Amino acid sequence: MTRGFGELDFLRALIPEVLIPLFALVTQLGDLWFYFVVLSVLYWLGPRTPLWRDGVDREKMAYVIALTLGALSLTLALKGLFALPRPPAPDVVPGSQFIPQTYHAAYEWLAVSDGYGFPSGHALGSTVVWGGLALTLTVSTFRRRLATAAGIVALISLSRLILGVHYLVDILAGITLGAAYLLIERRITGEDPRLAFWIAAGFAAIAFVTTGFGVEGAAALGATVGGVFTWQAVSPRLDRTPTRREAYITAVIGLPVLGLLLALTTTVSEILVASLLGNAAVIAGLLALPLVSNRQ
């Protein structure tokens, strides 16, 4: 039984197909790789983050990282539990006729999604990540941060509908669950990264079961457990404000090294143990890397 009521056909008729590749780019604002880049850089630069006069508190960024892992694990758990399919995929990826043949594979990677469809992981995750940033950062005013986050979540959610990879109910469920998760966890944890990592690990353990003890659940479990123990080890040693040079060295080293490790882990993702250990190593490296450049 379909969950849709014709909303995807309505959007396809309303939106010129030439614009669909643009929405394939917009949807990346809610993708895992984009979260990895943004949150890692903010965490590594910390108080030396440009554009913020007061910098960024690394403990707060660790909390947002834990929230993100929890949101991804919760999404996996719910997708495995409900096991509801996505909308039927078209024979030809919408908008691909406007992309040069050389880049078709890359475009399909951006525009196409597989796996279960309910709830929308992009809607749930973007609500938690961008909402979490709005609640924890201090740049500008709270209303402006919240409005910016809401606008980004709305654009990401619209892109999922225009690309035809989710029904509207998937999107609404994702936003509702993401907002509830964000507000309830913030109240429970008081923005304590340690507790947030433990909660994320709990959801990852559930996801490991509901996804049939597969590699996706193993990846979530490895990442969250890596976060639990690494944060406990490194947090007492992050009380010193890094110099600007130290902060930028950390980011310059971290992005290519851990990005490559994450890519390698993804390529061997069919191997359960490699997926578990690889993702644990990525999160452990992300949290611990500032200590490498710290001057003792």
Side-chain angles (χ1 to χ4, degrees), residues 247-289:
Y248 278 85
I249 286 176
T250 301
V252 168
I253 293 174
L255 271 184
V257 172
L258 292 183
L260 178 60
L261 178 58
L262 184 61
L264 290 174
T265 300
T266 303
T267 59
V268 295
S269 62
E270 294 304 314
I271 304 174
L272 190 145
V273 174
S275 185
L276 189 150
L277 295 179
N279 281 277
V282 169
I283 298 302
L286 191 164
L287 295 174
L289 192 59

Side-chain angles (χ1 to χ4, degrees), residues 56-109:
V56 175
D57 189 315
R58 275 181 172 161
E59 184 170 345
K60 287 185 177 181
M61 287 312 307
Y63 175 70
V64 178
I65 291 169
L67 282 178
T68 303
L69 293 177
L72 296 173
S73 299
L74 175 61
T75 300
L76 274 179
L78 292 173
K79 284 180 181 285
L81 180 64
F82 290 107
L84 294 175
R86 294 180 184 272
D91 295 331
V92 178
V93 179
S96 59
Q97 67 268 35
F98 303 105
I99 303 298
Q101 186 66 38
T102 307
Y103 303 107
H104 269 202
Y107 176 68
E108 290 184 11
W109 179 79

Side-chain angles (χ1 to χ4, degrees), residues 152-174:
I152 294 173
V153 172
L155 280 174
I156 293 169
S157 299
L158 178 62
S159 75
R160 305 307 284 169
L161 294 172
I162 291 174
L163 292 172
V165 295
H166 281 295
Y167 296 110
L168 180 60
V169 66
D170 304 337
I171 299 295
L172 295 178

Side-chain angles (χ1 to χ4, degrees), residues 130-285:
W130 295 106
L133 287 172
L135 290 172
T136 55
L137 296 180
T138 57
V139 63
S140 189
T141 65
F142 174 68
R143 286 187 177 182
R144 289 179 180 175
R145 295 197 306 271
L146 199 60
T148 300
I152 294 173
V153 172
L155 280 174
I156 293 169
S157 299
L158 178 62
S159 75
R160 305 307 284 169
L161 294 172
I162 291 174
L163 292 172
V165 295
H166 281 295
Y167 296 110
L168 180 60
V169 66
D170 304 337
I171 299 295
L172 295 178
I175 293 174
T176 302
L177 290 167
Y181 167 78
L182 176 61
L183 296 177
I184 292 172
E185 173 150 329
R186 193 163 179 259
R187 179 176 292 273
I188 291 173
T189 64
E191 297 190 0
D192 182 349
R194 182 181 59 85
L195 292 177
F197 277 120
W198 274 111
I199 291 174
F203 281 125
I206 296 172
F208 190 47
V209 175
T210 63
T211 56
F213 304 98
V215 291
E216 285 188 314
L221 192 59
T224 54
V225 171
V228 165
F229 292 105
T230 305
W231 180 252
Q232 184 172 335
V234 306
S235 57
R237 302 169 60 189
L238 291 175
D239 55 349
R240 186 181 65 81
T241 300
T243 65
R244 189 174 301 276
R245 179 174 178 273
E246 290 170 346
Y248 278 85
I249 286 176
T250 301
V252 168
I253 293 174
L255 271 184
V257 172
L258 292 183
L260 178 60
L261 178 58
L262 184 61
L264 290 174
T265 300
T266 303
T267 59
V268 295
S269 62
E270 294 304 314
I271 304 174
L272 190 145
V273 174
S275 185
L276 189 150
L277 295 179
N279 281 277
V282 169
I283 298 302

